[in-house]
Amino acid sequence: MSTIDISTARKVAHLARIRVAEDQLPQLAEQLSGILTFMEQLNEVDVDGVEPMTSVTPMRLKRRVDEVTDGGYPEKILKNAPDAREGFFAVPKVVE
């Protein structure tokens, strides 16, 4: 059984960017430990041969025809853009 200590709970809260008061860390550690225990229980379930499902009730997803129902006026849309080039929105590079 996995248990989360207070320092790990503090680190998880920091990584999740949530503010947790120091006196609330023991409760958070206990809750996180409970989640890990439940996940360990789920790992014991044999799911070989079980197909993934979209719902607990058998159903097909709704389908529709893939057709353009609006558009054809990119100049109107791009006039609101802070920067547009060659018919597209221009954005700053974020990946090197």
Side-chain angles (χ1 to χ4, degrees), residues 1-10 12 25-26 28-36:
M1 180 164 117
S2 298
T3 57
I4 302 290
D5 60 7
I6 292 175
S7 65
T8 304
R10 183 181 296 113
V12 169
L25 286 172
L28 177 62
E30 183 179 327
Q31 291 170 343
L32 291 173
S33 294
I35 291 169
L36 285 180

Side-chain angles (χ1 to χ4, degrees), residues 81-85 88-95:
D83 189 8
R85 298 180 196 149
F88 295 97
F89 289 99
V91 295
K93 182 176 179 180
V94 293
V95 178

Side-chain angles (χ1 to χ4, degrees), residues 2-95:
S2 298
T3 57
I4 302 290
D5 60 7
I6 292 175
S7 65
T8 304
R10 183 181 296 113
K11 183 176 181 179
V12 169
H14 174 74
L15 291 172
R17 305 288 193 261
I18 56 174
R19 184 176 300 142
V20 178
E22 197 66 29
D23 62 335
Q24 294 294 312
L25 286 172
Q27 181 183 7
L28 177 62
E30 183 179 327
Q31 291 170 343
L32 291 173
S33 294
I35 291 169
L36 285 180
T37 300
F38 182 68
M39 290 173 63
E40 288 171 355
Q41 290 174 350
L42 289 177
N43 284 333
E44 296 173 7
V45 177
D46 180 18
V47 294
D48 289 339
V50 177
E51 293 294 320
M53 26 190 251
T54 57
S55 173
V56 293
T57 56
M59 62 178 10
R60 285 186 53 99
L61 295 176
K62 295 180 181 178
R63 308 218 182 242
R64 62 174 172 77
V65 178
D66 188 14
E67 62 183 80
V68 177
T69 56
D70 194 9
Y73 42 86
E75 56 285 332
K76 285 184 178 180
I77 294 170
L78 291 175
K79 77 176 185 178
N80 294 318
D83 189 8
R85 298 180 196 149
E86 300 176 20
F88 295 97
F89 289 99
V91 295
K93 182 176 179 180
V94 293
V95 178

